[in-house]
Amino acid sequence: MLLKKITLLGAAVACAVVAGSAFAAYPDKPISVIVPFAAGGPTDVVARSLAQAMGLQIKGSMIVENVGGAGGTIGAGKVARAPGDGYTLLFHHIGMSTAPSLYRKLDFKPLEDFIPIGAVVDVPMTLIAKPQMTQTNLKDLLAYIRVNKEKINLANAGIGAASHLCGLLLQNAMKTELTTVPFSGTAPAITALLGGNVDILCDQSTNTTGQIKAGKVKAYAVTSKNKLANFPDLPPLASELPGFEVGVWHILYAPKNTPADVITKLQAGLQAAVKDPGFVSKMKDLGAEIMPADRQTSAGAKALLAAEIIKWSPIIQAAKAYAD
């Protein structure tokens, strides 16, 4: 009997050692980071910068995989169905909070099927117009839009895109309905704006900075609460539309049932990565702002997601901006 107890105890200790070793070895193979948008876009650029910096922190390889389509829902659904082993992650933006309202058929639940690891960056947006626009300041532009709303075309990069969401918020804040023109991406939307085929666009600074600095478009405002260092001459939209504030925040997620120890290690890696000088410099160049420390946690990121779902639901319902 004593021998049997010793044998069982030895087996238990061995199992514990093996389990501990397995976690200590994580990650022992490449981690796939799913970006639910096309390569080269702003979310993809941030994800690749994070993967490089975070991989160094967790001593593992993080490989970005682009799974685009349906406003980011295809890639998110793929991660929701993936094993919770820490080897398939999702890097998504504000679209995670709007998907439940935008899509009547959604095969995942943002708050239930994922564990947020932490929020990473917030990308402000800019309100720009075709080069032929004659208004010289934000106040005059908004007045012109209100008077000529039947003639104004508001471009966006497709349903669920950040530019689509900013456009919805702009119309809601102005209590004005405009003709929206969806494109298949940001590049064709900006091309149409440059050609004078559409009038205005509200999109991420990562997409518009080059055009603004080159003087190829008219820039009128930023969507952040305060002015941005990159655009010191542009006023916040809130200066004319009180309370207007929107940024394209990004969160790294794991599938539900991912072990707590793995989440803890990934969270620590994320928090260290966003302090990496190379990452910080890259985000500054893009106009992206590092999220506050309290958002760089699982609890903080989940609170942000929950609050944004509540914020966007009535705006989308009022606009009847649904997708199948």
Side-chain angles (χ1 to χ4, degrees), residues 102 154 163-173 312 315-316 319 321:
L102 280 173
L154 170 63
S163 53
H164 174 227
L165 303 176
C166 187
L168 289 178
L169 193 62
L170 178 64
Q171 293 174 84
N172 181 270
W312 284 102
I315 295 172
I316 292 169

Side-chain angles (χ1 to χ4, degrees), residues 34 74-83 88-90 113-114 253-255:
I34 303 297
I74 293 176
K78 179 177 180 178
V79 177
R81 296 185 296 273
T88 304
L89 307 178
L90 172 69
D113 294 333
F114 302 90
Y253 303 85

Side-chain angles (χ1 to χ4, degrees), residues 107-121:
D107 62 355
F108 62 87
K109 296 180 179 179
L111 289 171
E112 297 177 23
D113 294 333
F114 302 90
I115 300 174
I117 295 165
V120 182
V121 295

Side-chain angles (χ1 to χ4, degrees), residues 225-239:
K225 188 176 181 179
N226 302 305
K227 287 187 175 183
L228 299 176
N230 280 12
F231 306 110
D233 297 329
L234 296 185
L237 259 165
S239 64

Side-chain angles (χ1 to χ4, degrees), residues 288-299:
E289 301 176 347
I290 306 297
M291 277 289 191
D294 63 336
R295 295 295 194 193
Q296 298 168 19
T297 65
S298 184

